[in-house]
Amino acid sequence: MDSELITVTIDGKEVKVIPGTTVLEAARTAGIHIPTLCHHDDLCSEALYQQTASTPHQGEHSHQHEESAMLSTPSSCRICLVEVEGLPKLHASCALPIHNAMTVRTTSTAIRHARRDILELMMSEHYGDCFACARNGTCELQKLCADYGVTSERFGRPHEPLFEKAEIGNIIVRDQNKCILCRRCVRMCALYQGVYALTTEGRGDHSRIATFMGKEMKDATCINCGQCINRCPTGALTERDDTDAVWHAIEDPDKMVVIQTAPAPRAAIGEMFGCEPGTPLTFQMNTALKRVGFDKVFDTNFSADLTILEEGSELISRLYKALVLKDNTAALPQFTSCSPGWIKFIEHFYPKYLPNLSSAKSPQQMMGAVLKTYFAEKNGWDPSKIVSVSLMPCTAKKFEAARPEMDASGYRDVDYALTTRELGRMFKQAGIELPKLDKTPFDDPFGTPTGSGVIFGATGGVMEAALRTVFEIVTGEKVESVFDHADIKPVRGFDGVRMAELTISKVGPVPEILSHLVPDFEWLKGATLRVGLAHGTVNAIRVMKDIEEGGPLSQCHFIEFMACPGGCLGGGGQPIPTDREIRAARAKAIYSEDATYVVRKSHENEDVLRIYREFFKEGPCSHKSHELLHTHYKERV
Amino acid sequence: MDPKAVHGFVGNKLSFSEVTPRDGIRMAAEMAPEDVVAIIGASGLRGRGGAGFPTGKKWEFARGQEGSPKYIICNADEGEPGTFKDRLILTDFPELVFAGMAIAGRAVGAEFGILYLRAEYGWLREHLDAALERCRVANTLGNNILGASDFSFDISIRMGSGAYVCGEETALLESLEGRRGDARNRIPFPVQAGYLGKPTVVNNVETLAWVPCIMVKGPSWFAAMGTRKAPGAWLFCVSGDCKRPGIYEYPFGTSLRQILSDVGAENAKAVQVGGASGTCVPPAQFDRTMTPGDLATGGSIIVFGPGQDMFAVAENFQHFFCDESCGQCIPCRLGNQRMLEAIGRMRKDGLTVDGERNVRQLAQTMTVASKCGLGQMSARAFLSILNNFSGELPGHV
Amino acid sequence: MDAQQTLRTEVEQLVRVHGRTRTALMPILQDLNRAHSYISEDAMLAVSDALNVPRAEVYGVATFYSYFSVKPRGTYVIRICRTISCAKQGDYHPAIAALFDELGIGMGETTSDGMFTIEQTNCIGMCDQGPAMMVNEIPHIKLTEASVRSILNEYRHAALAAKKAQ
Ligand SMILES: Cc1cc2nc3c(=O)[nH]c(=O)nc-3n(C[C@H](O)[C@H](O)[C@H](O)COP(=O)(O)O)c2cc1C
Ligand code: SF4
Ligand code: SF4
Ligand code: SF4
Ligand code: SF4
Ligand code: FES
């Protein structure tokens, strides 16, 4: 790369930049804010480069065609216009790379007028009231209208909706009346998720965002990951709002309303209450949930640890079948199954590999299943009166909860899956100032906080938790003997695809709990366990391609897939905005929480050991656990 | 279909009929590429697609690029309302255009040419394929053209599918690459990263047709036709309310009045120069000349007779842009819709002071803020009509 | 072979002609559009699979260009120029009226026998000889009320003859 720096003058300030830096980026380094709408920090070239860096298939993209058009900013909203000395017209700073010294002005009467016109043009086809909008307060369009004093309606406003809002049956709800056609959703879906569920349809005055054949989202190849929602600057994309139904259940005296909370929302919900990203509010949230009226508050960490035991045991027994018994129905590598976006993704795009998926349900569903069985029995609750709610960072969890097969107990495992954003709204409606609350522990019997469960919220977390457990079970040694503080750093980080190895130099006796699965561990002695990780389904595509081509990932034994960039902490149901820096801050919160807990390994979670003693007495992957804790998948077109 | 069936009227003798394309290619084949660039540069030839960029400069720029392969693209998307010269050139002089492409290839070091033909000219396809075949047989296309060991060039034809914006060169490239015709960011330029990311020269049909003429007759012959500042001649497409619509060749510097008298439109009430993206000229300005700097033109001259309602004309143009905008950027997609509505309102109710201020401000924003030339020029016609014919609006005193 | 299989075979044949790259997308859609007067959902799915271009992208492209349609149209698609040089000719409105009258349909509609669809289009480069229209790929110029009726009759006869020949 040309390393000579170029000096540009922006609003009188001199900045030195690497050639190719955009004027927008240069202005930021000079502390000058230029408004943007079609640009998003996650969708700028640098972020996209990082997103795909250090993968086995560097430079190659999800689908066969090159994606240059998608990769470059569309510079279509034109709100980031600036003046460049010596050039006529105004120029979109997000698409203006610096190759020569230039003098730029980011504010002038002409610029302000143009920006205000652009905003008023957007409003001229915008139907909707801010007070009734899920994005009131986080809407970028609303904010800019306020900043630029858009008070008149010079170009008119529609008096009735121009489009119908399709809510029923859809988890991703689109309201095109609020869409400004910035295409962030289209690019996010394509470039991070590789799904390409969305496109621009039509031309000119007929342009709009649409799915293939203009189908509703529920009938499209959408995986419900919600990444599009999280990038949408307006209220044009939202998740189905289940808060009314949950309020209703809470207020029904006949119902026992139980909520489980996943790790990722705790590290993020504070952002909705003015906290810095990365402020964990786990126990304050428990207080708030009780205040709101939930009868029990459980920790999804419990079922995360349960998942590790089921999935880890499944891995051990698969390896045994494949490597020792030479049973070729035992598909390797085993794929994790806790990300419902990833599940729908593989069902749509790689159905051939469904046998590789772990049959273990996700922690959300496992918790739901034991709630209405084990817990109900133990406490004498009528399972038909339990309303099982979950707090998830994820919109796809709504889809998972609604899968018809998720009712092995005779009842829905989970009745309502709320996103972080929905719960934040419920708190606000209840007048709760979350950061100011006291701390309350989780309820028994699913309330032991464990580090292994918490890290499920970050990419690599499931793998780390699984490795801590599998290593100790197989070797009988402490994982700390290999990794300081049991921090398995090689699987952490944000690279799109990662791989790690762990050599099993000695083996121990098979613990009682697994004796029904393998006779001994001798066959694992000296073996090297190879694992892989991918987050953001576009990286999942890279992994799948590598596997198809017999590359290094095909040699892995276990691969963790997370549909969302950064894993659950970057989930589509998390507070808006979410971007690289915010994801990093949330990850930090998650790993520091892990470090503070006494129990940091799933197999040491006393609640989990108890349920195997009392309920799943035949151990993991046994008949009863299969019935309640495991599931199956289907091909989708 | 025989293209002659819709040939149309040609008002005067065209320079193109005086040149044998093969001679141009032979000269280029015998010359060093940089000398070809120099000749075109010296002639002062400017692009005929609308932007008027000096062709020699474009080629020089492309020649200096490192990427390979390089591409020569002939822009035959001719969609500007009132423009049909490329239709005639492709009907009567296809070999001249192909020769121009081959010479461009020679000049910049490209071996592949693509002719992007608008869907509406699909009926020319067979005729052009046959002409291409003739060129290959005559070895003015293909390998080792006319025996030159370092000169190979061939052309394929690709079709548009009905989109005016695909005449804009970056939208054209998107279309060729199998995508929606959304205009690209202008940096990098197509000569740096064009078709499939490779250095690409996009030239208009007429631009390319002049190339072999200049090679054969020399740059000074070409330059001598126009004025010192604007060398050369141009094909004008005349339509609308006149006695003899058709194609006319004029040197730069010709006055509008002269043209109107030649075509039989002395009583014109207004003339739209440059198509929907151009400007509307009132009689008081008929002495203006066809020169870059004065009346820049894409070759389109649409005459409006005394009976025409000029704001109905403006409405027609604005409707055109609403349809034909690629739709990606806000000032163009929504600006044109709001402008169209505003014209409808002023035709009905006249123009208030506030209303006029709003449309002028909107026009300004469309012009300075749109992403590509389509949006940037889409308010021009209306503004010039507003400036010169506001007396036609109801309630005007 | 069911309809979908036939389409897939057809697309494979087109892939052999135009290639299996993204740049083949437009030519393939053009051929399908010409052969069927529109590009059906199944056709787009077949193209998407054959070229490995996401189906939504195929749809985005198919809806951008005015010559393409994703909804069924008549065998003959009539595109009448609505741009200035044609629209301001004296014969323009009578010619359109004749079109509507003769076919008994309005703008954007298809005759019940599936023979004709009328659409509007922008300048087709026949401005010196307007009013003008295209019927599929063929331009018709200097339209008048009478010429429109006789042009339509010619297409009707052509269609009839083609049917008989079958
Ligand atoms: C909206 C729009 C439409 C255009 N249409 C055409 C066209 O139909 N034919 C053409 O040659 N150039 C067209 N151009 C200009 C091209 O972008 C490009 O400048 C030209 O093809 C370059 O060739 P030249 O240098 O030979 O003129 C259009 C530009 C714009 C902004
Ligand atoms: S999308 Fe934004 S501007 Fe529109 S109603 Fe919602 S908050 Fe208001
Ligand atoms: S939810 Fe995910 S898969 Fe669905 S459209 Fe949005 S980004 Fe694409
Ligand atoms: S739905 Fe949202 S993200 Fe997508 S184009 Fe519309 S405003 Fe932009
Ligand atoms: S100016 Fe119009 S045609 Fe050009 S990019 Fe913008 S919307 Fe598209
Ligand atoms: S205006 Fe109708 S063909 Fe040009």
Side-chain angles (χ1 to χ4, degrees):
Chain A
M1 189 191 280
D2 191 350
S3 58
E4 295 253 307
L5 295 184
I6 301 175
T7 307
V8 283
T9 311
I10 305 179
D11 293 347
K13 282 194 192 181
E14 287 199 350
V15 204
K16 286 195 188 334
V17 297
I18 301 167
T21 308
T22 64
V23 169
L24 179 70
E25 290 159 347
R28 289 210 180 153
T29 60
I32 296 164
H33 177 80
I34 300 175
T36 55
L37 280 169
C38 67
H39 165 98
H40 185 284
D41 282 355
D42 270 347
L43 292 165
C44 70
S45 48
E46 194 199 330
L48 288 164
Y49 177 75
Q50 280 208 350
Q51 147 77 11
T52 56
S54 59
T55 68
H57 279 260
Q58 190 145 13
E60 194 188 286
H61 291 290
S62 53
H63 291 270
Q64 261 174 12
H65 70 279
E66 32 64 60
E67 291 159 334
S68 58
M70 284 271 191
L71 282 168
S72 67
T73 168
S75 76
S76 61
C77 74
R78 314 303 289 171
I79 204 83
C80 68
L81 294 165
V82 296
E83 286 176 8
V84 180
E85 206 173 276
L87 293 183
K89 305 211 162 75
L90 301 176
H91 299 268
S93 57
C94 70
L96 189 60
I98 298 166
H99 290 295
N100 305 305
M102 48 165 85
T103 303
V104 176
R105 287 181 71 183
T106 73
T107 179
S108 69
T109 304
I111 292 169
R112 278 189 305 275
H113 276 170
R115 287 187 186 153
R116 196 167 63 213
D117 281 357
I118 287 166
L119 292 167
E120 290 198 33
L121 282 171
M122 288 174 176
M123 294 318 278
S124 77
E125 63 162 14
H126 197 87
Y127 178 84
D129 288 315
C130 297
F131 67 80
C133 182
R135 292 297 300 275
N136 191 1
T138 60
C139 173
E140 295 173 44
L141 177 62
Q142 183 189 44
K143 177 175 184 302
L144 285 178
C145 284
D147 290 355
Y148 282 84
V150 175
T151 46
S152 63
E153 294 179 356
R154 278 181 305 151
F155 308 133
R157 277 295 295 277
H159 296 297
E160 50 196 52
L162 304 170
F163 302 98
E164 210 180 308
K165 182 176 170 189
E167 283 175 294
I168 297 160
N170 291 295
I171 285 158
I172 309 296
V173 178
R174 298 176 55 221
D175 185 355
Q176 294 184 70
N177 293 298
K178 295 174 182 167
C179 175
I180 57 170
L181 263 78
C182 68
R183 305 189 187 187
R184 281 187 193 173
C185 53
V186 177
R187 295 177 70 225
M188 194 68 199
C189 189
L191 297 174
Y192 277 72
Q193 304 307 89
V195 174
Y196 290 85
L198 299 171
T199 185
T200 315
E201 165 198 277
R203 178 179 80 206
D205 48 1
H206 294 290
S207 315
R208 66 190 59 166
I209 303 301
T211 62
F212 175 64
M213 286 308 279
K215 292 177 197 287
E216 284 186 35
M217 293 304 278
K218 66 175 159 57
D219 303 320
T221 51
C222 163
I223 64 170
N224 298 308
C225 66
Q227 287 304 316
C228 51
I229 300 179
N230 216 307
R231 298 308 172 288
C232 181
T234 74
L237 284 165
T238 50
E239 67 273 36
R240 184 186 68 211
D241 188 339
D242 288 324
T243 57
D244 276 346
V246 172
W247 280 124
H248 195 75
I250 289 173
E251 279 154 21
D252 184 342
D254 208 30
K255 292 275 169 15
M256 307 297 289
V257 188
V258 177
I259 188 164
Q260 53 166 315
T261 73
R266 307 168 189 172
I269 196 166
E271 294 161 28
M272 294 180 73
F273 296 85
C275 300
E276 281 297 307
T279 310
L281 293 176
T282 313
F283 299 100
Q284 289 86 339
M285 209 164 71
N286 292 351
T287 313
L289 289 165
K290 285 289 170 61
R291 278 254 298 267
V292 161
F294 286 97
D295 296 295
K296 293 278 179 200
V297 181
F298 292 137
D299 191 343
T300 307
N301 285 357
F302 160 78
S303 47
D305 287 337
L306 189 58
T307 301
I308 289 298
L309 282 173
E310 291 293 330
E311 204 166 357
S313 307
E314 184 184 357
L315 177 66
I316 289 171
S317 93
R318 261 193 215 222
L319 289 172
Y320 182 69
K321 280 188 201 153
L323 304 178
V324 181
L325 305 181
K326 308 286 177 207
D327 171 356
N328 55 14
T329 62
L332 285 176
Q334 175 173 305
F335 298 161
T336 58
S337 59
C338 40
S339 165
W342 152 245
I343 296 296
K344 191 157 184 257
F345 183 87
I346 187 173
E347 287 179 329
H348 274 298
F349 301 109
Y350 292 95
K352 205 170 93 191
Y353 289 91
L354 290 178
N356 294 62
L357 277 178
S358 161
S359 63
K361 283 183 182 173
S362 72
Q364 161 177 279
Q365 298 304 124
M366 285 202 184
M367 175 69 91
V370 299
L371 258 182
K372 295 195 181 175
T373 53
Y374 169 72
F375 173 80
E377 272 170 37
K378 204 173 150 94
N379 293 274
W381 286 19
D382 176 355
S384 71
K385 297 204 167 141
I386 300 179
V387 176
S388 153
V389 181
S390 66
L391 167 64
M392 294 286 144
C394 179
T395 47
K397 287 283 170 192
K398 289 178 188 282
F399 180 80
E400 182 181 50
R403 279 177 176 257
E405 64 274 18
M406 294 291 182
D407 63 351
S409 65
Y411 305 95
R412 303 294 317 155
D413 292 347
V414 174
D415 296 290
Y416 303 106
L418 297 177
T419 62
T420 313
R421 293 189 294 264
E422 284 174 286
L423 188 71
R425 277 209 305 279
M426 287 180 73
F427 287 166
K428 289 189 177 181
Q429 287 160 18
I432 290 170
E433 284 190 63
L434 189 61
K436 296 194 180 151
L437 296 189
D438 292 335
K439 299 182 175 186
T440 306
F442 285 101
D443 286 314
D444 283 333
F446 311 128
T448 309
T450 71
S452 43
V454 163
I455 56 174
F456 260 60
T459 162
V462 177
M463 188 54 70
E464 183 163 350
L467 288 180
R468 286 178 191 169
T469 289
V470 169
F471 182 86
E472 296 202 351
I473 285 183
V474 170
T475 62
E477 298 250 307
K478 285 281 164 200
V479 71
E480 283 85 344
S481 65
V482 190
F483 295 102
D484 285 350
H485 311 292
D487 289 348
I488 310 185
K489 295 237 164 95
V491 298
R492 297 188 183 178
F494 282 113
D495 284 347
V497 176
R498 312 193 286 286
M499 284 201 289
E501 288 183 352
L502 181 61
T503 301
I504 298 172
S505 40
K506 60 169 284 203
V507 295
V510 176
E512 168 81 39
I513 194 170
L514 294 186
S515 56
H516 61 296
L517 297 176
V518 287
D520 58 55
F521 286 143
E522 287 308 313
W523 50 281
L524 274 173
K525 199 164 172 178
T528 299
L529 195 57
R530 283 185 297 270
V531 299
L533 309 98
H535 61 117
T537 34
V538 79
N539 289 313
I541 295 174
R542 291 192 162 78
V543 171
M544 298 309 290
K545 275 193 160 168
D546 189 66
I547 291 176
E548 291 196 318
E549 289 162 11
L553 283 150
S554 67
Q555 300 306 310
C556 283
H557 301 106
F558 193 27
I559 304 182
E560 176 200 293
F561 290 96
M562 290 292 154
C564 291
C568 304
L569 55 88
Q574 291 281 64
I576 299 171
T578 296
D579 60 28
R580 264 187 304 164
E581 278 171 26
I582 295 176
R583 283 193 292 270
R586 291 176 190 158
K588 220 169 134 202
I590 281 176
Y591 284 114
S592 55
E593 204 172 323
D594 166 41
T596 64
Y597 288 143
V598 185
V599 181
R600 299 181 58 216
K601 294 161 193 167
S602 307
H603 57 289
E604 291 175 0
N605 182 336
E606 193 38 51
D607 298 338
V608 170
L609 299 176
R610 185 170 55 239
I611 206 170
Y612 282 114
R613 280 197 306 272
E614 296 180 356
F615 194 64
F616 298 113
K617 290 182 189 147
E618 295 147 42
C621 297
S622 62
H623 179 71
K624 186 162 183 178
S625 84
H626 259 289
E627 195 179 290
L628 290 174
L629 304 181
H630 290 252
T631 184
H632 53 269
Y633 311 101
K634 69 169 194 184
E635 180 172 353
R636 291 172 198 269
V637 285
Chain B
M1 189 195 113
D2 177 7
K4 297 275 186 243
V6 291
H7 187 274
F9 175 71
V10 181
N12 51 14
K13 187 162 165 57
L14 306 185
S15 301
F16 294 152
S17 62
E18 297 166 8
V19 175
T20 312
R22 189 184 176 86
D23 295 346
I25 295 193
R26 179 179 306 285
M27 294 198 59
E30 288 165 359
M31 238 179 238
E34 43 276 37
D35 294 340
V36 178
V37 176
I39 288 179
I40 298 303
S43 74
L45 175 65
R46 283 168 177 269
R48 298 301 158 85
F53 192 84
T55 307
K57 258 207 186 129
K58 191 185 280 191
W59 291 10
E60 199 179 310
F61 204 11
R63 179 162 174 73
Q65 295 295 314
E66 277 177 7
S68 86
K70 295 177 183 174
Y71 295 96
I72 307 294
I73 289 174
C74 171
N75 186 342
D77 196 54
E78 185 165 65
E80 191 62 56
T83 315
F84 44 88
K85 62 189 172 63
D86 297 348
R87 178 195 89 206
L88 183 106
I89 296 170
L90 292 173
T91 302
D92 288 354
F93 312 105
E95 279 101 334
L96 214 48
V97 179
F98 301 153
M101 291 174 77
I103 295 167
R106 171 81 176 162
V108 310
E111 299 194 345
F112 304 99
I114 300 172
L115 184 131
Y116 185 87
L117 185 65
R118 68 186 308 219
E120 293 82 350
Y121 290 171
W123 47 273
L124 273 168
R125 177 72 195 258
E126 240 174 84
H127 170 72
L128 292 174
D129 279 333
L132 274 181
E133 213 35 59
R134 283 199 301 279
C135 291
R136 290 187 189 115
V137 171
N139 193 217
T140 53
L141 283 180
N143 287 332
N144 306 332
I145 289 175
L146 300 184
S149 61
D150 58 349
F151 186 11
S152 297
F153 191 83
D154 210 338
I155 297 170
S156 57
I157 298 179
R158 297 279 304 275
M159 303 297 301
S161 274
Y164 163 71
V165 68
C166 288
E168 196 283 330
E169 55 191 2
T170 63
L172 185 154
L173 294 170
E174 287 290 291
S175 178
L176 277 180
E177 290 181 15
R179 285 193 286 265
R180 301 165 51 81
D182 292 339
R184 293 180 185 174
N185 294 320
R186 287 296 292 177
I187 301 176
F189 294 102
V191 282
Q192 300 166 302
Y195 183 55
L196 301 176
K198 302 296 180 191
T200 302
V201 168
V202 182
N203 273 134
N204 170 256
V205 170
E206 184 187 339
T207 314
L208 290 163
W210 282 110
V211 165
C213 305
I214 293 167
M215 293 304 292
V216 173
K217 297 196 159 203
S220 42
W221 161 82
F222 183 77
M225 283 195 283
T227 64
R228 232 165 51 103
K229 266 178 74 187
W234 198 308
L235 296 201
F236 287 89
C237 318
V238 184
S239 65
D241 304 324
C242 63
K243 295 200 187 76
R244 290 174 294 279
I247 298 281
Y248 296 77
E249 180 179 318
Y250 288 108
F252 276 114
T254 308
S255 77
L256 184 53
R257 195 174 299 284
Q258 162 88 52
I259 298 176
L260 290 177
S261 117
D262 290 354
V263 305
E266 291 87 348
N267 65 346
K269 151 183 177 181
V271 179
Q272 179 74 16
V273 179
S277 313
T279 43
C280 193
V281 183
Q285 299 176 18
F286 283 175
D287 286 320
R288 291 173 68 181
T289 56
M290 298 296 157
T291 322
D294 189 358
L295 282 177
T297 139
S300 160
I301 295 197
I302 305 172
V303 183
F304 300 112
Q308 300 288 8
D309 170 349
M310 293 315 291
F311 283 84
V313 169
E315 210 170 21
N316 185 291
F317 284 147
Q318 223 65 52
H319 193 154
F320 173 83
F321 289 118
C322 288
D323 263 9
E324 297 293 345
S325 156
C326 79
Q328 64 174 320
C329 80
I330 297 289
C332 172
R333 175 173 65 88
L334 291 172
N336 275 302
Q337 289 178 55
R338 299 297 89 87
M339 188 67 90
L340 175 63
E341 290 160 8
I343 299 172
R345 276 197 305 274
M346 67 181 76
R347 286 188 66 198
K348 203 162 126 266
D349 305 328
L351 194 57
T352 61
V353 175
D354 264 5
E356 175 161 356
R357 200 180 46 234
N358 280 350
V359 288
R360 285 189 185 277
Q361 171 61 43
L362 177 57
Q364 172 69 10
T365 293
M366 290 160 68
T367 306
V368 298
S370 289
K371 182 171 175 179
C372 86
L374 189 149
Q376 289 162 4
M377 296 191 291
S378 59
R380 270 176 96 191
F382 165 70
L383 274 184
S384 57
I385 289 173
L386 184 66
N387 289 340
N388 296 303
F389 299 95
S390 60
E392 292 187 11
L393 290 172
H396 189 89
V397 279
Chain C
M1 253 193 310
D2 65 358
Q4 198 167 345
Q5 194 52 48
T6 323
L7 259 175
R8 286 186 185 266
T9 317
E10 186 179 346
V11 168
E12 273 309 314
Q13 269 157 6
L14 293 173
V15 166
R16 271 198 286 281
V17 178
H18 299 295
R20 204 179 281 286
T21 58
R22 177 81 188 232
T23 51
L25 180 59
M26 286 287 283
I28 290 176
L29 291 181
Q30 283 159 354
D31 285 354
L32 288 167
N33 190 58
R34 192 179 304 112
H36 305 275
S37 287
Y38 82 114
I39 310 166
S40 65
E41 176 170 351
D42 283 343
M44 283 185 273
L45 287 173
V47 173
S48 162
D49 288 346
L51 299 185
N52 200 9
V53 173
R55 59 181 80 166
E57 290 244 317
V58 176
Y59 178 70
V61 171
T63 54
F64 183 88
Y65 297 93
S66 64
Y67 263 53
F68 293 154
S69 170
V70 296
K71 297 198 187 92
R73 289 188 294 196
T75 316
Y76 298 109
V77 180
I78 299 170
R79 297 181 177 87
I80 180 135
C81 173
R82 57 158 295 279
T83 308
I84 199 81
S85 295
C86 290
K88 298 296 164 204
Q89 302 269 327
D91 280 321
Y92 177 69
H93 291 288
I96 293 196
L99 208 53
F100 291 163
D101 175 59
E102 192 73 26
L103 298 177
I105 53 171
M107 203 54 84
E109 294 174 1
T110 301
T111 53
S112 54
D113 60 359
M115 185 97 78
F116 295 100
T117 299
I118 311 179
E119 292 181 355
Q120 274 184 323
T121 188
N122 283 315
C123 184
I124 58 173
M126 292 294 165
C127 332
D128 52 338
Q129 304 169 81
M133 69 178 185
M134 312 269 319
V135 179
N136 290 349
E137 309 244 287
I138 305 296
H140 295 274
I141 55 175
K142 297 180 180 164
L143 299 177
T144 61
E145 188 184 336
S147 76
V148 162
R149 292 189 197 275
S150 78
I151 290 166
L152 290 178
N153 271 329
E154 275 171 39
Y155 282 101
R156 285 194 184 111
H157 286 307
L160 219 68
K163 217 174 186 177
K164 266 202 195 124
Q166 269 187 5

